[in-house]
Amino acid sequence: MKAGLSYKKREQIAGGFNFVILLLFGLLLITPFVWMVSVGFDRTANVTMPFPPKLIPKHLSSFNFGIVFENGSLIKAYLNSAIVTVSSVFIGVSASLLAGYAFSKGRFKGKKVLFVVVLCTLMIPMEPRLIPLYKLFNSVHLLNTFWPLVLPSLISGMLIFLCKQFFDQLPDTLREASQIDGAGEFTTFFRIYLPLAGPIVATMIILAFIWSWNDFMWPLVVLNDKELQTVPLYLASFSLENGTSLGGLTMALATMSVLPIVILYLFLQKYIIQSIALSGVKGE
């Protein structure tokens, strides 16, 4: 009994210690974000950036955010980013779900080799692909449009890998029973497996959303028209034009640029946690 109590006490102490460590790291990671929001609410930061940095400004003001909402260029950039991101997420998640299901439950020649090729794409960063992709879209006259930002999302090695791992955990007997009832592959996928894939779909949506919304280098290469600028491009051009002379307004713009990601994560965090928990159920 004493040994049991001592073990329970050690568990409580270890749990409390882990909680404190994670809390400290969490506060450390969130501090830059809090400082960014704080500077955005500091009107005097447009003259001189506060030094030393303060997490709570001395004089709170919504002046910078008012200008942000009245800025037609930022609204246009938001619309551009929304079009590109929603299209990329829809295409990327849909294609990855189908590919992941095919690699997991399908039976066809060369499946393992093709899957290895897909995984190999994870080792190729974006930089070496810039010139080939640029030449490809230039040859079909699609530069300075949204198509080069959307079409590459058709193939995402990471999302396909996540889908395959998730579908591997679902029993093959569901597919076999569906085939006995006369259902085809698409019917089996859409009516049986897809409704069970909610957690992994939520994880893929937030990942694809972050990748597309925050993408800077590729849009910088293919977009020349200011009317087509996405939010990262607009924020970068605004910062270059004004430097630190409008620090408060720049931080307000930066806050608004990450707000959609924060909101989306808050809505999907429950499903993302479920996906992480399910992925370790079988120890796979």
Side-chain angles (χ1 to χ4, degrees):
M1 187 69 178
K2 291 183 178 179
L5 289 175
S6 61
Y7 174 78
K8 185 177 181 180
K9 188 174 182 179
R10 288 198 301 270
E11 286 289 310
Q12 291 177 345
I13 294 174
F17 179 76
N18 292 335
F19 174 78
V20 172
I21 294 298
L22 292 175
L23 180 63
L24 291 175
F25 275 103
L27 293 175
L28 183 64
L29 291 174
I30 202 175
T31 298
F33 179 79
V34 174
W35 177 76
M36 177 181 68
V37 177
S38 173
V39 175
F41 280 103
D42 189 352
R43 184 171 181 175
T44 61
N46 290 323
V47 181
T48 57
M49 290 290 287
F51 186 83
K54 298 178 181 179
L55 296 182
I56 300 178
K58 184 179 295 185
H59 303 290
L60 284 172
S61 174
S62 60
F63 174 79
N64 295 323
F65 288 92
I67 295 179
V68 167
F69 284 110
E70 294 175 359
N71 192 331
S73 298
L74 178 63
I75 295 175
K76 180 64 176 177
Y78 252 93
L79 291 176
N80 294 338
S81 286
I83 293 172
V84 171
T85 302
V86 172
S87 302
S88 298
V89 170
F90 177 78
I91 292 176
V93 172
S94 300
S96 298
L97 282 169
L98 292 171
Y101 174 78
F103 281 122
S104 176
K105 306 302 181 184
R107 301 290 183 268
F108 54 90
K109 291 183 178 180
K111 184 179 75 170
K112 292 184 178 180
V113 175
L114 187 58
F115 185 64
V116 170
V117 172
V118 172
L119 291 182
C120 287
T121 62
L122 297 176
M123 296 184 288
I124 305 175
M126 184 61 188
E127 288 77 5
R129 292 182 286 170
L130 283 178
I131 296 177
L133 283 174
Y134 183 88
K135 288 185 175 181
L136 173 64
F137 286 108
N138 185 42
S139 64
V140 293
H141 307 289
L142 289 179
L143 293 181
N144 206 33
T145 67
F146 291 147
W147 287 111
L149 306 182
V150 175
L151 292 180
S153 62
L154 274 170
I155 301 177
S156 174
M158 175 60 72
L159 297 186
I160 293 174
F161 173 76
L162 290 176
C163 284
K164 180 187 180 301
Q165 293 301 104
F166 183 85
F167 285 126
D168 282 346
Q169 298 175 26
L170 300 180
D172 294 338
T173 53
L174 296 174
R175 179 172 176 268
E176 295 170 359
S178 176
Q179 289 178 336
I180 292 174
D181 291 338
E185 288 294 348
F186 282 99
T187 302
T188 302
F189 171 74
F190 284 106
R191 293 193 175 183
I192 297 178
Y193 283 96
L194 186 58
L196 300 174
I200 194 64
V201 170
T203 303
M204 292 165 61
I205 288 175
I206 187 66
L207 288 175
F209 190 96
I210 292 174
W211 295 339
S212 180
W213 186 270
N214 288 340
D215 193 12
F216 174 77
M217 183 179 297
W218 180 233
L220 180 65
V221 172
V222 298
L223 298 180
N224 298 321
D225 191 350
K226 285 190 176 183
E227 292 296 319
L228 299 178
Q229 280 186 333
T230 58
V231 171
L233 291 182
Y234 176 78
L235 182 59
S237 62
F238 182 87
S239 300
L240 288 174
E241 291 174 1
N242 298 280
T244 59
S245 60
L246 295 176
L249 186 56
T250 302
M251 290 302 179
L253 288 170
T255 301
M256 296 304 301
S257 69
V258 302
L259 192 60
I261 298 176
V262 175
I263 294 175
L264 182 66
Y265 177 79
L266 291 177
F267 275 105
L268 299 180
Q269 62 175 334
K270 178 178 69 174
Y271 302 100
I272 295 173
I273 294 172
Q274 287 180 5
S275 174
I276 296 173
L278 289 173
S279 65
V281 169
K282 295 184 180 180
E284 298 178 350

